[in-house]
Amino acid sequence: QVQLVESGGGLVQAGGSLRLSCAASGRTFSTYAMGWFRQAPGKEREFVGQITWRGGDTAYADSVKGRFTISRDNAKNTVYLQMNSLKPEDTAVYYCATKIGGYAVYDNWGQGTQVTVSS
């Protein structure tokens, strides 16, 4: 099992930036990819983006493409979500998660970190 701990959330004005971190521990060698998701009040959890653990290939939701960047530091077992040009609609609880294969589902989740963007 991989344990995930997110950090870096907070309150920021529209147009500002935040960087979230997700530190992984445990059986990280079994991780294929790490993803970021978010859930706004009253809405379903949605995919934000992901990065493969070994190759570093990334993919993003259209709503964040060009504004958000995912990177990783394998030595620190940490993945980052750099969020720029934030909008009020980016307000949500952000979660990181892992999966063990390309066609697997994300089934291992962190506790989440709140991001609030004021207008």
Side-chain angles (χ1 to χ4, degrees):
Q1 188 75 349
V2 177
Q3 293 76 44
L4 304 171
V5 178
E6 301 100 331
S7 61
L11 174 63
V12 64
Q13 288 188 331
S17 298
L18 276 177
R19 188 177 79 157
L20 305 184
S21 300
C22 179
S25 60
R27 297 171 60 88
T28 57
F29 59 85
S30 65
T31 299
Y32 170 79
M34 183 173 291
W36 286 97
F37 295 76
R38 65 186 182 186
Q39 187 166 21
K43 295 187 177 181
E44 293 187 353
R45 188 175 296 183
E46 66 172 350
F47 173 78
V48 173
Q50 70 175 30
I51 187 166
T52 59
W53 197 247
R54 289 186 174 85
D57 298 320
T58 56
Y60 300 93
D62 287 343
S63 58
V64 305
K65 203 171 292 183
R67 300 188 298 123
F68 290 11
T69 302
I70 298 175
S71 61
R72 77 198 193 290
D73 184 334
N74 285 28
K76 295 182 178 180
N77 285 340
T78 300
V79 170
Y80 304 97
L81 177 64
Q82 177 68 45
M83 305 185 293
N84 299 328
S85 303
L86 283 162
K87 306 174 182 179
E89 51 264 43
D90 294 318
T91 295
V93 177
Y94 283 71
Y95 300 88
C96 63
T98 60
K99 62 178 180 178
I100 61 173
Y103 295 99
V105 298
Y106 282 98
D107 60 357
N108 186 44
W109 297 83
Q111 83 288 352
T113 185
Q114 176 70 47
V115 172
T116 302
V117 184
S118 63
S119 56

